[in-house]
Amino acid sequence: MSRSGWLLVLLALGALPLLAAEPLTFRVGWEAEIPSLNPATNWAEEGGFIIDLMFDSFYELNEKSEPVPLLIVDEKISDDLLTWDLTIAQGVTWHDGKPLTANDVVYNLKALLKTMPPMLRADLEFIDSVEKTGEYSFRLHMKYAQPERLTKVLLADDPLVFLPPHLMPPVEEITLQDILDYKPEIGFGPFKLVEWKKDQHVILEAYDGYWGKKPYIDRLIFKRYDSETATVEALLAGEVDLVFEITAMTLVPRIKRAKGYDVSATKSQWLHDVIFNLADWNENIRPAILQPEVRRALAHCIDVDKIIKLVWLGYAQKNPSILPNAGPYPPFLNTELRYYEFDPEKAAQILEENGWVDRDGDGIREKTITYTIRPLKLEDGKHVVGPDGHLERVPADQWIVKTGTFKLDFEVWIETSYSVLLRVFEIIKEDAAKAGIRLRPTVMEGAKMYDQIWGEDGYRADFDILGWGWNIGADPTFILEWLSAYQIGGWSDSNYHSPEFTGLYLLQKKTLDPEKRAEIIRRAQELVHRDLPYIIMYWPDKLDGYSLAWTGYVQQDLVGLCNRMTFLSVRPAE
């Protein structure tokens, strides 16, 4: 049925006013900030949804989170996996009408390989070079062989064609800063950008010139609200049609009770964790947190069962690994890992045995520590990772040795869209106090928090502990990359820099035998569980509230209802 036909049906049924007026509009509500619509600078899942609608990746993830061709219409992969001959669809145009051909693909890949934006490194670093082989075809030469599925997942992760050559400097002149500063106004995907009011809304419209499957809707609006309560109230008032990622569990039965609305629950790729600052290269060093026994003691103060019961009402999965037990992950999961036993008395004993005592009777343990600041060796403003996976430092005579007394008194910062973690840390805070650890959780606006974590150069690391989470994608390589030394100054939030772990990250990418690769990945999980840059608490289900006035929702494995497939197929229910 045409869009105008849908409108006649809606008018006859007396549907909601927002659906009865041109253009046919679908609205999504959430609390998240959108940091960027540039794939090279966006870190937020919500920003990724919009980017995926403005641009087409070479491949996309289907309903089962398996990679399938999108922009690619033909592929020929050599037996050794080192040469990929790919052909893109014909008739693709940028939103300003300019044709998109192999020239655009080659321009983008050469620009990105030349500059290697940190947030796109995982999607690029295995590509050695690119060449044009026809008007719509190109060839990728790989640095090394890696599993075919992994390559396709990486080529589906972010659009690697997003820089319009006719609006950018020549590839010989383009710089990393040019790419990072670029603010996309046009793409070539099924929706085009109409308006972005930061911290308010993003408005997209269907692109009539799109080469592929066109959406049923004319307009798609993503609107930000101050709280989950306000977002759900907007859903029940008919102001939005889909609420992304509900974390206030008391709102779930409220939606389910309302006529014409429901909630979907999806086992997710979304972990919630405690993140420790392990940076040791500047004056922002946190010597107490660098002590392994402190991190281990705090792990014994987390009552995961109580948190899942009281905060999540059961809508979360127990699993202490950095990989979920869902989707494509079970073959890689280290099932021998166990939670650190919840036992605040044991935590106190660990601290006592390592010299952490309460000297002044304030209930907070302290200790005098001699520590070393080892500044990073930088080349062109970026850190250097040695061949064995270690962070290279300045000469030892430039290191700084200090001694100080430190209390186990830590700020815990929680990014605004993760405000549910405030309740989680209020529970942890009480049990940590029994062991002599003081936690001070607070919710912080994203921009301020990111500046303290990364700063302008990526290496500020001025924080104690974070309460946060990850959506880890459709292959283990993503979370392994983010925890590797290569992503310090980029995706890394903990600044974990284990040479063994970084080496395992590289090795698993180049291991073609599935079981051998899984063994390597299981060992990497074991290292994180031992070293504790993160304490993995649980894996929340993805809960999305939605209006039954619409049909065509696609519940994607690990992701839920908020995905590209939903926005292309959603339409008014008859």
Side-chain angles (χ1 to χ4, degrees):
M1 187 180 292
S2 67
R3 293 173 188 160
S4 58
W6 284 119
L7 290 171
L8 291 173
V9 170
L10 289 166
L11 288 167
L13 293 175
L16 296 171
L18 69 88
L19 297 176
E22 287 277 17
L24 185 58
T25 302
F26 188 80
R27 294 175 167 87
V28 180
W30 57 33
E31 300 80 57
E33 300 174 66
I34 304 299
S36 171
L37 298 180
N38 178 342
T41 53
N42 173 65
W43 46 260
E45 182 184 19
E46 296 84 354
F49 294 144
I50 298 166
I51 289 169
D52 286 345
L53 296 168
M54 291 177 59
F55 303 93
D56 287 350
S57 296
F58 295 127
Y59 295 85
E60 67 175 335
L61 299 181
N62 64 14
E63 190 172 348
K64 296 298 182 183
S65 288
E66 290 297 326
V68 295
L70 179 54
L71 188 60
I72 299 300
V73 295
D74 187 57
E75 60 180 35
K76 292 182 177 63
I77 304 167
S78 65
D79 291 341
D80 62 8
L81 300 173
L82 293 175
T83 305
W84 289 52
D85 284 297
L86 303 174
T87 302
I88 64 170
Q90 298 184 30
V92 181
T93 61
W94 294 93
H95 292 157
D96 62 2
K98 295 282 187 182
L100 189 147
T101 68
N103 288 328
D104 301 74
V105 174
V106 171
Y107 172 88
N108 274 263
L109 289 176
K110 284 188 173 181
L112 295 174
L113 291 171
K114 172 187 174 183
T115 58
M116 199 60 76
M119 287 189 172
L120 295 178
R121 183 187 180 281
D123 304 331
L124 293 165
E125 64 86 21
F126 56 91
I127 302 173
D128 184 57
S129 63
V130 58
E131 62 177 309
K132 178 183 175 182
T133 55
E135 187 174 1
Y136 297 100
S137 58
F138 62 101
R139 177 174 295 150
L140 296 179
H141 298 280
M142 305 304 188
K143 292 178 182 176
Y144 51 83
Q146 63 182 10
E148 181 179 325
R149 181 187 181 275
L150 172 57
T151 298
K152 290 181 176 180
V153 167
L154 292 168
L155 294 177
D157 182 45
D158 284 295
L160 297 180
V161 179
F162 61 91
L163 305 168
H166 55 288
L167 301 179
M168 300 297 293
V171 71
E172 298 79 14
E173 299 175 12
I174 198 166
T175 66
L176 175 60
Q177 202 59 48
D178 290 330
I179 294 173
L180 299 181
D181 289 343
Y182 176 61
K183 294 178 171 55
E185 295 184 358
I186 63 168
F188 53 89
F191 288 89
K192 61 183 181 181
L193 179 65
V194 174
E195 183 177 72
W196 177 22
K197 287 193 174 181
K198 200 165 178 63
D199 297 332
Q200 295 184 43
H201 63 245
V202 177
I203 300 175
L204 305 178
E205 283 186 355
Y207 176 46
D208 289 336
Y210 183 58
W211 68 276
K213 176 186 175 183
K214 294 180 172 62
Y216 291 93
I217 56 176
D218 297 298
R219 180 169 282 200
L220 179 57
I221 298 176
F222 298 89
K223 186 173 181 181
R224 187 186 186 203
Y225 290 85
D226 292 335
S227 68
E228 278 197 48
T229 299
T231 310
V232 169
E233 287 176 350
L235 174 70
L236 300 181
E239 296 172 11
V240 299
D241 307 295
L242 174 63
V243 172
F244 170 68
E245 207 169 79
I246 299 167
T247 59
M249 294 299 102
T250 55
L251 296 174
V252 173
R254 183 177 172 190
I255 297 172
K256 284 179 169 289
R257 286 194 301 265
K259 185 177 180 180
Y261 299 93
D262 205 350
V263 177
S264 74
T266 308
K267 286 188 177 180
S268 77
Q269 57 176 339
W270 186 31
L271 63 84
H272 278 186
D273 58 344
V274 180
I275 302 168
F276 295 102
N277 179 8
L278 302 185
D280 61 358
W281 48 75
N282 62 24
E283 293 289 345
N284 296 326
I285 189 171
R286 283 1 192 217
I289 288 173
L290 290 176
Q291 310 310 306
E293 71 273 7
V294 172
R295 304 194 297 276
R296 193 165 69 252
L298 188 55
H300 283 292
C301 295
I302 300 177
D303 189 341
V304 175
D305 290 320
K306 182 178 181 180
I307 291 168
I308 290 177
K309 180 180 179 180
L310 294 184
V311 178
W312 291 96
L313 304 184
Y315 285 107
Q317 310 301 315
K318 287 184 66 176
N319 172 13
S321 172
I322 54 173
L323 299 183
N325 190 15
Y329 284 101
F332 301 106
L333 186 65
N334 187 332
T335 56
E336 296 183 2
L337 299 182
R338 298 290 181 268
Y339 279 100
Y340 286 80
E341 178 188 8
F342 171 64
D343 189 344
E345 289 185 6
K346 184 173 184 178
Q349 180 183 351
I350 290 170
L351 295 171
E352 191 78 26
E353 290 173 351
N354 283 276
W356 292 93
V357 295
D358 178 9
R359 297 175 181 173
D360 55 10
D362 64 354
I364 305 170
R365 294 177 182 271
E366 58 194 284
K367 182 181 178 180
T368 300
I369 302 172
T370 297
Y371 59 97
T372 303
I373 299 172
R374 301 183 298 155
L376 297 172
K377 175 184 176 180
L378 300 178
E379 293 181 357
D380 297 325
K382 297 299 178 184
H383 70 286
V384 179
V385 180
D388 64 350
H390 75 278
L391 278 178
E392 294 198 4
R393 311 295 183 131
V394 300
D397 60 5
Q398 298 178 38
W399 296 1
I400 304 167
V401 179
K402 291 187 173 184
T403 299
T405 299
F406 300 92
K407 284 181 171 290
L408 299 183
D409 185 351
F410 307 121
E411 290 185 307
V412 180
W413 293 348
I414 300 164
E415 197 264 341
T416 308
S417 63
Y418 280 77
S419 58
V420 64
L421 286 174
L422 188 60
R423 291 189 62 202
V424 171
F425 275 94
E426 288 298 330
I427 293 172
I428 299 172
K429 173 183 173 180
E430 292 182 6
D431 293 312
K434 298 172 186 175
I437 304 171
R438 182 187 182 197
L439 300 179
R440 291 176 285 127
T442 185
V443 175
M444 183 176 290
E445 283 292 328
K448 180 179 179 182
M449 190 165 119
Y450 314 139
D451 183 59
Q452 292 297 111
I453 298 170
W454 290 290
E456 291 186 6
D457 64 359
Y459 305 112
R460 175 169 291 174
D462 192 6
F463 67 95
D464 296 336
I465 297 173
L466 306 175
W468 218 355
W470 278 114
N471 284 281
I472 68 168
D475 188 89
T477 206
F478 292 107
I479 189 70
L480 300 186
E481 161 91 9
W482 301 333
L483 279 163
S484 77
Y486 290 104
Q487 278 300 332
I488 287 173
W491 283 107
S492 178
D493 43 20
S494 66
N495 299 301
Y496 182 51
H497 49 276
S498 160
E500 182 183 357
F501 182 92
T502 298
L504 291 172
Y505 154 68
L506 293 174
L507 182 60
Q508 61 85 27
K509 292 190 73 174
K510 302 176 184 180
T511 301
L512 301 182
D513 181 272
E515 181 51 36
K516 288 181 179 178
R517 182 174 184 240
E519 288 177 6
I520 295 165
I521 292 168
R522 292 183 199 117
R523 171 58 180 163
Q525 295 166 68
E526 184 182 342
L527 288 182
V528 174
H529 191 261
R530 181 196 72 188
D531 297 344
L532 292 176
Y534 293 169
I535 301 173
I536 308 301
M537 294 187 288
Y538 51 82
W539 297 76
D541 294 341
K542 280 292 181 79
L543 301 175
D544 301 312
Y546 62 100
S547 167
L548 298 176
W550 298 83
T551 189
Y553 298 102
V554 177
Q555 188 171 6
Q556 185 179 15
D557 281 2
L558 303 176
V559 175
L561 298 186
C562 201
N563 60 71
R564 176 186 165 111
M565 291 175 286
T566 286
F567 300 131
L568 287 178
S569 61
V570 73
R571 54 200 180 275
E574 294 192 53

